[in-house]
Amino acid sequence: MVRKPITRRELAEELERAGICPGMVLVVHSSLGQVGWMLGGPEAAIEAFQDVLGPRGTLVMPTFSFSLAAWNLPPFDPGRTPSRVGLLTDVFWRMDGVLRTCHPTHSFAAAGPDAPTLLGGPVDYEPLGMGSPIDRVRLAGGRILLIGVGHNRNSTVHLAEDLAEMPYLQVPFDTNRDYDEAWYATRPGGGAHRLEIRRMPGSSEGFELLDTLLAQEGIVTTHRIGQATAQFMESEALCHTIVRLLGENPLLLLPAASASEITARRRRYMESLAAKGPSNP
Ligand SMILES: CC(C)(COP(=O)(O)OP(=O)(O)OC[C@H]1O[C@@H](n2cnc3c(N)ncnc32)[C@H](O)[C@@H]1OP(=O)(O)O)[C@@H](O)C(=O)NCCC(=O)NCCS
């Protein structure tokens, strides 16, 4: 793809046209490479978001590192561990005035007046479950923008799985225990603490069908931002819709043809529950 150059001002104008307004709480999932060539680098793209959100708005990004003990990754350090979910996110958490949680698998970064409320306190919640930063975004009336990526990169879908109390979330990645384990420091360079994770978000490959399904439900608007396709939605509407869809079909997000081991194990678990019948969950 030839990457057409785009300026901070042009990006801001396109974000405004997509419906982003001053004062919003906004979560962004992005592929910078899909947007085109951002003049001024990733910093300029982040500043374009902040231009549109204004001083009363709060920008939120995932900075996930997936530092699970079972995957032999070192303990999470909020001042050192890189984000593994995109260049924009890895630049964002390092910028002045940006807060970052110390969650070892699913840390978030945020800047703006709501950032302390969205990110503050101990990381004693399930990674993308109730009480987590992504849930606090929903409760704050937040929005989600997917740029150059689909719903298989939309963390709020995992929140909806948690809100729907999907039993398969209890199946851990770690095959030696009935939970997952991760280690983290609460401040840069600090000592490591242990965290047990009981409802770890799984593979999101099955979320791809939501790109069509949610557009049909009318809760997502589609836009062009630079050269990328973008999808914009309200977090609460998204969760409400997915909870309903999961009520109709609990296997919706666990495709039978999945190549992922965790999805196959979670699907088998759901099938074993169904075989036992409703009185013996
Ligand atoms: C994995 C993923 C990040 C890859 O997207 P990507 O566009 O290839 O990578 P990044 O967003 O990290 O951007 C890096 C790219 O931007 C390019 N880049 C660097 N400076 C740039 C600039 N000024 N303007 C545009 N692109 C630039 C880099 O060269 C790199 O491209 P390359 O790999 O072809 O060399 C993306 O597909 C994705 O999944 N994003 C969402 C992640 C997420 O939110 N996950 C949470 C739920 S699981």
Side-chain angles (χ1 to χ4, degrees):
M1 181 169 78
V2 179
R3 293 179 178 178
K4 278 208 264 172
I6 179 168
T7 65
R8 169 175 167 178
R9 191 190 178 101
E10 285 165 348
L11 179 57
E13 285 168 359
E14 296 193 2
L15 293 171
E16 274 172 355
R17 275 201 289 277
I20 293 156
C21 298
M24 277 183 177
V25 171
L26 181 72
V27 181
V28 176
H29 298 280
S30 60
S31 162
L32 184 60
Q34 292 290 316
V35 173
W37 190 255
M38 186 71 215
L39 292 175
E43 293 84 356
I46 294 163
E47 283 159 0
F49 277 100
Q50 293 179 320
D51 292 343
V52 180
L53 292 172
R56 290 183 301 109
T58 300
L59 180 61
V60 183
M61 291 193 200
T63 59
F64 304 165
S65 59
F66 309 110
S67 305
L68 273 184
W71 296 343
N72 296 320
L73 289 166
F76 176 84
D77 183 319
R80 289 190 195 139
T81 305
S83 166
R84 298 176 69 189
V85 287
L87 179 60
L88 223 51
T89 69
D90 199 46
V91 169
F92 181 54
W93 76 259
R94 297 168 199 268
M95 290 170 77
D96 285 347
V98 178
L99 303 184
R100 189 185 195 192
T101 64
C102 54
H103 195 284
T105 58
H106 293 77
S107 61
F108 279 89
D114 289 329
T117 312
L118 297 173
L119 304 192
V123 292
D124 55 0
Y125 41 75
E126 294 303 331
L128 300 175
M130 282 176 248
S132 68
I134 203 76
D135 188 33
R136 296 182 212 174
V137 166
R138 173 183 71 94
L139 295 171
R143 269 78 165 183
I144 304 155
L145 186 70
L146 309 174
I147 304 184
V149 294
H151 286 281
N152 62 345
R153 295 291 179 266
N154 188 345
S155 303
T156 304
V157 179
H158 288 295
L159 168 62
E161 293 180 301
D162 195 86
L163 295 172
E165 299 183 6
M166 299 315 293
Y168 58 76
L169 291 178
Q170 296 161 23
V171 177
F173 281 80
D174 194 329
T175 49
N176 297 315
R177 298 188 178 92
D178 59 359
Y179 59 88
D180 283 302
E181 182 184 77
W183 293 78
Y184 67 101
T186 53
R187 55 183 171 76
H193 302 262
R194 181 173 168 274
L195 188 69
E196 278 183 20
I197 300 175
R198 298 276 169 183
R199 294 167 75 80
M200 182 73 179
S203 163
S204 53
E205 65 192 322
F207 297 2
E208 280 171 17
L209 56 81
L210 295 173
D211 290 329
T212 309
L213 216 50
L214 294 174
Q216 287 165 357
E217 292 275 343
I219 59 155
V220 173
T221 57
T222 304
H223 309 271
R224 201 87 192 146
I225 292 187
Q227 290 175 266
T229 301
Q231 301 186 71
F232 184 51
M233 70 217 79
E234 290 176 9
S235 175
E236 177 60 46
L238 177 77
C239 288
H240 184 82
T241 303
I242 294 174
V243 168
R244 175 173 57 76
L245 293 172
L246 285 171
E248 292 162 8
N249 176 10
L251 297 181
L252 179 74
L253 302 176
L254 298 175
S258 168
S260 135
E261 197 214 320
I262 187 76
T263 301
R265 282 169 45 217
R266 287 182 168 189
R267 196 176 162 98
R268 280 200 300 276
Y269 177 68
M270 292 299 279
E271 287 164 350
S272 73
L273 288 186
K276 283 183 197 163
S279 57
N280 290 307

